[in-house]
Amino acid sequence: AQDIIWWADMPEVFTYFTSFGRMEGELKKNGELLQTINSMGSLEHGFAKKWFDYDPLFLPVRMWKRLFPLNVVHYHYDLLFTEEGLHGGLMRTSGFGIKIRNCGGIYLPGGEYVRIKRIKSIKYEKPRSMEIDGMAKPVTFYEQWQVKAVTEKGILNYTARQVYPPAHIARHMIYSSFLFEGSLGGQRFDGKGYGEYVRM
């Protein structure tokens, strides 16, 4: 790990971070080398102290969904990587309209860290539906989205476009790989990204 972005830091209660660094290795199948790996990558780690069974805390959300078919929880998480060495990400989470997390950061080529003060908007485009086993209704995800955020070095803008089929991980969670292009404070960049999306 070379650089770290902390999403939550409450020692011995809840911590969550993403670390960035160089990854080297090989991808093999039945002994045959398919791909060598030598690139910037990331590792996420979360820790939560389980004082009690947290599942009952979601009971109000489940009851709300039965009474009112409206989405009340929204989670969006993007990690960005460019060939020039820019890397970082952002996270926006809300429940019942209350912002829980709205933050992030970018490491510029050369190592300078730029804090994301807030995400102003995420505009979703090209919706698609995915049938999920065990769920009565399909889950909606988006093939493209536009992000606008305020940073310490000006406005961060980028458009992300999904390039591989999304991965369904949990009942409402979609993982995606995407290409993006945008700018930070007027400086253009483009690269690849990884994202997570939940709306429930």
Side-chain angles (χ1 to χ4, degrees):
Q2 298 169 339
D3 301 314
I4 294 179
I5 296 178
W6 286 89
W7 307 111
D9 187 14
M10 295 178 283
E12 303 300 324
V13 178
F14 177 57
T15 57
Y16 179 27
F17 66 86
T18 300
S19 61
F20 299 87
R22 298 295 303 181
M23 302 180 72
E24 298 180 7
E26 298 176 338
L27 174 63
K28 292 183 177 181
K29 181 179 180 181
N30 298 327
E32 179 186 355
L33 177 64
L34 301 179
Q35 179 74 49
T36 58
I37 301 169
N38 187 346
S39 67
M40 176 66 72
S42 64
L43 172 72
E44 296 180 43
H45 180 72
F47 167 86
K49 178 78 77 173
K50 189 171 183 180
W51 301 103
F52 55 88
D53 185 0
Y54 297 135
D55 289 344
L57 295 177
F58 287 93
L59 183 60
V61 175
R62 296 190 186 101
M63 295 303 295
W64 177 276
K65 289 289 289 183
R66 289 183 179 179
L67 295 173
F68 309 99
L70 301 173
N71 293 315
V72 295
V73 174
H74 182 210
Y75 171 78
H76 186 109
Y77 172 65
D78 281 351
L79 294 182
L80 309 174
F81 303 88
T82 72
E83 292 288 345
E84 295 74 26
L86 179 148
H87 53 278
L90 52 81
M91 177 187 294
R92 185 168 76 170
T93 308
S94 63
F96 291 93
I98 301 171
K99 293 179 182 178
I100 301 170
R101 301 296 292 159
N102 188 330
C103 60
I106 300 291
Y107 285 92
L108 300 177
E112 181 184 359
Y113 178 70
V114 178
R115 184 174 65 90
I116 294 176
K117 297 180 179 179
R118 69 182 183 281
I119 303 160
K120 293 189 68 174
S121 64
I122 303 177
K123 181 181 178 182
Y124 297 100
E125 301 169 339
K126 300 182 180 180
R128 286 185 56 191
S129 295
M130 176 185 288
E131 298 285 345
I132 304 298
D133 291 340
M135 296 189 67
K137 295 182 179 180
V139 173
T140 299
F141 68 96
Y142 298 87
E143 292 185 339
Q144 186 168 296
W145 55 97
Q146 297 183 33
V147 176
K148 185 174 184 178
V150 178
T151 80
E152 297 173 323
K153 282 190 172 289
I155 298 297
L156 168 68
N157 281 299
Y158 65 87
T159 298
R161 178 173 51 85
Q162 196 155 203
V163 290
Y164 298 106
H168 171 242
I169 301 301
R171 283 178 61 86
H172 295 273
M173 178 170 277
I174 301 294
Y175 284 6
S176 63
S177 298
F178 58 86
L179 300 177
F180 68 89
E181 54 184 22
S183 63
L184 173 58
Q187 180 95 23
R188 300 290 301 173
F189 59 80
D190 61 77
K192 299 177 181 179
Y194 161 79
E196 299 177 3
Y197 173 83
V198 176
R199 189 180 289 274
M200 59 178 286

